Amino acid sequence: MEIYTKERLIERFRDIKAMGWLHSTRQGNAGGVGNTLEELLGIEENNLPIPNAGEWELKCRRKDSSSLGTLFHMEPSPRALKFVPKIFLPKYGWRHEKAGTKYPKDEMSFRQTINSKNRTDRGFGIVVDREERKVKVSFDAGSVDKRHSEWLRQIEGKVNVSELNPQPYWGFDDLTHKAGTKLKNCFFVIARRKKEKRTEFFLYEKVFMFESFSGDKFISEIEEGNILIDFDSRTRHNHGTKFRVRSVENLQNVYEVSRIIE
């Protein structure tokens, strides 16, 4: 693996931008845009080997992608309860859409992407409690869409459908420590994508450099609904709880310093 100085890495990004359209090294792979860039840089993971320059993360996405960007995984507290597989899934889950086909007949699902501005159609959302310094998961039965009325009746037999009790949360200090460790400094690369005769190509056209992560700004972006929390669990596999961001501009907002590498 090549060891970079920050200045040398910036030069390498400029070189890659100047190379134009590049053949994807992972044809048909959704992560091909990042995998191809890592191979061009000669690195094995998205942690960049820059000695004596702090920790740097490499993130990459397609320009035409509308999907949320994953920042990191972190399960809610109290962690000893294993809240997602032990409480959300058995008490608030619903029959998996592929139960009886891809999965066994009893396969249940709990998939929700929640934010602080709008509740989901199943009544889940985020509350940023600055007094208690917690980011809390909240449930409101009155916000459940009538399409899910049967599901609501089913969970009423398992739980009191008032606010969650216990209420899962992330303490500000734990959350910003995790985010700050993972995202202290970041290069974020945007690539255009095209296909020619079923072959995929990427053009790495814009590189952002973000420095000095701010925990306060991170909490504010959650409060503004720009950083979301994603649960994705089913009976036989918990994919983990992810913190995700709407756009590169929203990610930019959690840093003290940002610039575009020309």
Side-chain angles (χ1 to χ4, degrees), residues 32-258:
V33 62
N35 298 138
T36 301
L37 182 60
E38 287 169 352
E39 293 187 24
L40 288 165
L41 293 171
I43 64 174
E44 296 174 1
E45 296 180 354
N46 63 357
N47 293 309
L48 294 166
I50 308 176
N52 305 317
E55 294 298 322
W56 285 82
E57 182 90 353
L58 173 64
K59 292 195 174 293
C60 189
R61 73 181 301 171
R62 300 194 312 268
K63 188 174 183 178
D64 62 357
S65 174
S66 59
S67 62
L68 300 172
T70 299
L71 299 177
F72 56 86
H73 291 66
M74 188 178 184
E75 297 302 314
S77 296
R79 290 186 192 134
L81 294 182
K82 297 184 178 179
F83 215 100
V84 177
K86 299 295 186 182
I87 297 177
F88 274 150
L89 187 62
K91 294 185 176 181
Y92 294 88
W94 50 89
R95 189 172 188 267
H96 196 287
E97 61 181 6
K98 295 183 179 178
T101 54
K102 183 176 181 180
Y103 303 120
K105 292 181 180 180
D106 63 347
E107 195 79 3
M108 299 292 288
S109 175
F110 184 82
R111 297 186 70 183
Q112 293 281 277
T113 300
I114 62 177
N115 68 78
S116 64
K117 291 298 185 182
N118 308 104
R119 289 186 180 267
T120 68
D121 58 4
R122 293 187 190 264
F124 289 93
I126 295 172
V127 173
V128 177
D129 188 329
R130 289 193 173 271
E131 184 174 340
E132 294 188 21
R133 292 179 55 78
K134 292 179 178 178
V135 174
K136 300 176 180 178
V137 182
S138 176
F139 174 71
D140 174 30
S143 299
V144 176
D145 189 277
K146 61 183 180 181
R147 293 178 298 129
H148 303 305
S149 56
E150 178 58 31
W151 166 78
L152 184 59
R153 283 193 291 272
Q154 289 174 4
I155 69 169
E156 283 174 344
K158 304 175 187 177
V159 296
N160 182 345
V161 292
S162 57
E163 183 56 277
L164 298 170
N165 186 21
Q167 191 169 18
Y169 69 90
W170 293 264
F172 281 13
D173 292 340
D174 288 344
L175 183 55
T176 56
H177 175 75
K178 172 74 172 187
T181 300
K182 187 67 175 173
L183 304 169
K184 184 177 180 181
N185 304 293
C186 178
F187 284 102
F188 198 105
V189 182
I190 304 292
R192 287 166 58 193
R193 170 184 174 272
K194 70 176 181 179
K195 271 195 169 183
E196 294 180 356
K197 297 181 179 178
R198 299 185 180 181
T199 300
E200 189 173 45
F201 296 85
F202 298 117
L203 176 65
Y204 296 93
E205 67 174 12
K206 185 174 288 189
V207 181
F208 297 86
M209 187 173 74
F210 304 141
E211 295 184 85
S212 301
F213 170 85
S214 167
D216 289 340
K217 291 184 176 184
F218 185 80
I219 298 297
S220 293
E221 286 300 296
I222 296 176
E223 202 166 36
E224 290 299 315
N226 296 323
I227 291 176
L228 306 89
I229 299 171
D230 184 66
F231 298 105
D232 185 2
S233 183
R234 57 180 175 84
T235 300
R236 290 163 179 82
H237 186 66
N238 179 19
H239 292 272
T241 302
K242 306 176 186 70
F243 279 76
R244 309 186 75 184
V245 66
R246 291 191 187 277
S247 69
V248 65
E249 289 78 17
N250 298 134
L251 181 60
Q252 180 177 355
N253 290 342
V254 308
Y255 291 92
E256 300 289 355
V257 179
S258 67

